[in-house]
Amino acid sequence: FAELGKKGVWLETPPLPLLGPNCFGVANPVTKLDTTFAKTAPPPGNIGLISQSGALASYLFNWAKETGLGFSKFVSLGNRLNLTENDFLHYFANDSATKVIALYLESFAAGGDWLKIASRISRKKPVIVLVGGQTPGGRLASQSHTASVSPESSLVTTALNQSGCLQAKTITDFTNLLEIFSLEPELKDNDLAIITNAGGPAILAIDTAGSLNLDTAKPIDVLGDADARRFNQAFRQVLKDKTKDAYLIIITPQANTEIESTCRAIVRRFANVNKPLIVSLLTGQLTEPARNILKNNRIATIDLPQEAVSSLAALLQWHRGHRFDLYPSRRPYRLKAGTKILKSGRLSWQQTARLIADYKFALVKTVTAAGPIKPVDFRWPVVLKADPGLAGHRTENKAIYLNLKTNSAFKSAYQKLKQKFPLVLVQEQLAVGHELFIGISRNPGWPPLLTIGGGGIYTELYRDLARAFLPVNEKIIGKLLHQTSIGQIIFGYRTGVKLAIKAVIKLILNSCQIVEELPQVKELEINPAFVTESQVTIVDLKIQID
């Protein structure tokens, strides 16, 4: 096939659905079907596994066997000739034997389709995804700000967040999440009870819980000399409080610790408690018999308390968020016939102004000059800068002069700019307002990606950014704004004074509409737009035509 070069590519157009090539096979552990060549056959269970890596799948088979978990089905994608992860997502969504769907991917076969499919399926079943190969290398080829603040890892994170999937950053995250979602019931709220015989690990767990919006009261500390009886008394005490939503039990090996007896007490006391329970056994090889007691009774064991808390937070995140669709299937605005644009490249200010004329953008007062000019119609101070069609990054290219307050300063700056740039913009300098960044870019295989956040020359440094794929609506834009510092300022953080929220949302929707209507627009960037209590004014707008 394609590994052979051009002579093999023609083979990749078969008339029938084909899995692979270059794949690890498939397995159905329930029926004892195993076409893989792994040394350990995948054990039966409720995890539906889709993987582009056969080696990782082989590791997961061993991990599942040791942990007491297993798989409903396994599919190796290989080169995805014409069957992809999207096809198998459909399958696992309707498979009654599958409780949780797990994917290891190194790329997405069709990102746009993925968003639609995964956002629908993740509302019914948790979808846990580990993505390899996330490097920013090729993403920095474009010269616009929009591309440089959207490397591959950010695109993947946006896709998983917006589709409602759960992203694992490491293999350990992956296996922890699979264990929790395979074993645990729904986590209905965030009240976490901690029982421990060690202060330090409990403190670390509480710190992690606090950062992940889990509410932890003072832990029940049975102290370092606790035996199984004292642990059992603590279990009885904590179960009397019906307000608790989940339980974390931390056991460390100390002189009086009766690890196996304590685990048997856990099994007895929590047997009929239909709430998430995790046991952290910080005891190394001493715990194998105790671990088997918990494993045989389907109780999750994650050794490190901080990882256990992170997994519970993910469980809560899914159960709270899976009821809401953050990727709308319908467009939130009415589209018009797109304007035909013939010339590729970055548009000039005048071309941009003509293009956006129908979208009611509020542009700062601007004059384009190709010859001698006087600032007669402007109030001091003024700004001089190169036309956007000639200079993308004006600060780095010394293509902008700010805070010009006198005729002499104006003339000097103008002469310097004219030596390098045939077109110069003259603008009134806005002194009031908060700077907002809006960027939309097209990435191969994906819908246009919207990025919003703090604007100005420090956009890339601060990275106060939130992202979503189009289409979006007012609800999604509001959610994105709340994720950024500039958005919280717009909504009146601490002051109670709200800025022009409706105008901001309208500007973002109109920007999205331009890109949706005009497929020739590769990138659109507003940086900055000044936001006050009464209005939003665009100071700089760049549009790249493909």
Side-chain angles (χ1 to χ4, degrees):
F1 290 88
E3 290 90 342
L4 299 176
K6 291 183 179 179
K7 65 180 182 179
V9 171
W10 72 271
L11 292 172
E12 298 198 353
T13 55
L16 74 167
L18 183 71
L19 180 62
N22 188 26
C23 72
F24 195 56
V26 296
N28 184 339
V30 175
T31 62
K32 297 184 179 180
L33 169 69
D34 180 11
T35 70
T36 74
F37 45 94
K39 286 201 171 187
T40 300
N46 59 16
I47 301 171
L49 175 61
I50 305 167
S51 178
Q52 273 190 278
S53 167
L56 181 63
S58 182
Y59 162 75
L60 291 172
F61 297 166
N62 285 287
W63 161 81
K65 186 175 182 179
E66 293 173 1
T67 314
L69 302 176
F71 303 92
S72 57
K73 314 286 188 305
F74 162 69
V75 176
S76 171
L77 296 173
N79 289 6
R80 299 180 302 196
L81 190 149
N82 61 12
L83 287 177
T84 74
E85 62 272 15
N86 293 341
D87 298 297
F88 294 104
L89 272 176
H90 278 301
Y91 177 85
F92 283 122
N94 298 312
D95 179 29
S96 60
T98 299
K99 180 183 178 184
V100 53
I101 303 172
L103 291 95
Y104 171 74
L105 299 173
E106 291 168 1
S107 64
F108 291 81
D113 292 339
W114 157 270
L115 282 168
K116 296 174 185 177
I117 296 168
S119 64
R120 184 174 65 254
I121 292 172
S122 67
R123 297 170 70 187
K124 301 176 181 178
K125 293 183 180 180
V127 181
I128 300 169
V129 186
L130 175 62
V131 180
Q134 295 186 63
T135 59
R139 306 293 306 171
L140 298 180
S142 173
Q143 296 300 307
S144 78
H145 286 263
T146 302
S148 63
V149 297
S150 298
E152 182 67 25
S153 60
S154 296
L155 187 148
V156 169
T157 298
T158 302
L160 297 183
N161 287 342
Q162 194 171 355
S163 64
C165 298
L166 294 160
Q167 182 176 17
K169 298 294 181 68
T170 65
I171 294 178
T172 302
D173 286 345
F174 197 49
T175 54
N176 286 345
L177 290 173
L178 292 182
E179 181 170 359
I180 293 300
F181 279 89
S182 174
L183 294 177
E184 300 301 328
E186 180 177 356
L187 179 51
K188 295 182 178 179
D189 212 336
N190 68 337
D191 200 341
L192 172 63
I194 298 177
I195 305 102
T196 180
N197 70 341
I203 291 171
L204 293 173
I206 291 171
D207 287 342
T208 302
S211 68
L212 296 173
N213 298 318
L214 286 173
D215 186 12
T216 56
K218 184 179 179 180
I220 298 177
D221 190 349
V222 296
L223 304 179
D225 62 348
D227 55 11
R229 181 185 58 82
R230 196 184 300 169
F231 264 108
N232 195 31
Q233 290 173 341
F235 301 153
R236 188 185 300 115
Q237 176 186 341
V238 76
L239 288 173
K240 289 179 181 178
D241 185 353
K242 303 302 181 182
T243 66
K244 300 303 179 184
D245 304 298
Y247 306 92
L248 172 60
I249 300 172
I250 303 172
I251 305 174
T252 62
Q254 304 189 43
N256 288 356
T257 308
E258 298 172 328
I259 303 174
E260 293 176 45
S261 297
T262 300
C263 287
R264 292 191 188 96
I266 292 172
V267 172
R268 289 194 305 273
R269 285 293 171 192
F270 290 86
N272 298 315
V273 178
N274 190 32
K275 295 179 180 180
L277 165 66
I278 301 180
V279 180
S280 288
L281 296 171
L282 293 166
T283 50
Q285 292 182 349
L286 294 172
T287 64
E288 285 311 306
R291 194 183 305 276
N292 287 332
I293 292 171
L294 299 173
K295 178 180 73 174
N296 293 336
N297 286 276
R298 307 284 290 171
I299 295 175
T301 57
I302 295 180
D303 288 347
L304 301 181
Q306 290 170 294
E307 292 182 359
V309 170
S310 296
S311 299
L312 283 171
L315 190 67
L316 180 63
Q317 174 189 337
W318 185 77
H319 283 297
R320 279 185 169 177
H322 77 281
R323 298 178 182 88
F324 306 100
D325 187 2
L326 291 180
Y327 187 72
S329 58
R330 293 186 299 106
R331 298 184 188 275
Y333 33 68
R334 186 176 179 182
L335 301 181
K336 303 178 298 183
T339 304
K340 187 174 183 180
I341 302 172
L342 299 176
K343 186 178 179 181
S344 62
R346 187 180 292 115
L347 298 184
S348 69
W349 182 265
Q350 289 184 336
Q351 290 172 324
T352 299
R354 288 196 298 268
L355 178 65
I356 67 171
D358 294 334
Y359 296 88
K360 297 180 174 58
F361 280 21
L363 302 176
V364 68
K365 183 177 180 180
T366 304
V367 171
T368 301
I373 187 173
K374 297 180 181 180
V376 292
D377 296 327
F378 292 88
R379 292 176 296 180
W380 303 109
V382 298
V383 177
L384 286 176
K385 57 189 178 184
D387 188 272
L390 303 174
H393 299 280
R394 294 193 182 92
T395 302
E396 290 85 343
N397 292 324
K398 296 182 179 180
I400 184 170
Y401 290 87
L402 301 170
N403 207 34
L404 302 174
K405 298 180 179 179
T406 65
N407 279 311
S408 59
F410 178 90
K411 291 178 181 178
S412 175
Y414 185 74
Q415 288 172 358
K416 291 176 182 178
L417 282 174
K418 285 296 294 180
Q419 291 176 0
K420 296 190 297 182
F421 306 102
L423 287 178
V424 176
L425 303 184
V426 187
Q427 295 179 335
E428 290 184 0
Q429 181 162 326
L430 300 183
V432 179
H434 294 273
E435 294 179 288
L436 173 68
F437 171 90
I438 303 170
I440 306 173
S441 62
R442 295 187 189 276
N443 301 276
W446 295 93
L449 179 65
L450 167 67
T451 303
I452 59 177
I457 63 173
Y458 299 121
T459 294
E460 295 175 49
L461 177 63
Y462 292 146
R463 292 190 173 271
D464 174 34
L465 304 167
R467 300 178 175 88
F469 290 97
L470 304 190
V472 294
N473 53 31
E474 292 185 4
K475 178 182 176 181
I476 294 176
I477 291 174
K479 184 180 179 68
L480 294 176
L481 286 170
H482 277 293
Q483 294 173 17
T484 67
S485 298
I486 181 65
Q488 292 186 51
I489 292 172
I490 291 171
F491 279 96
Y493 175 72
R494 297 194 70 176
T495 65
V497 179
K498 295 183 179 181
L499 304 185
I501 298 172
K502 291 184 179 180
V504 168
I505 293 176
K506 182 66 174 176
L507 173 59
I508 296 171
L509 281 174
N510 285 352
S511 301
C512 295
Q513 186 174 356
I514 288 176
V515 178
E516 288 273 81
E517 289 183 356
L518 304 175
Q520 304 98 325
V521 175
K522 182 180 180 182
E523 294 173 8
L524 180 150
E525 179 187 302
I526 297 172
N527 190 24
F530 275 78
V531 186
T532 67
E533 293 180 42
S534 59
Q535 63 184 7
V536 181
T537 306
I538 297 171
V539 170
D540 203 32
L541 173 59
K542 302 184 186 78
I543 294 179
Q544 180 77 26
I545 302 301
D546 196 357

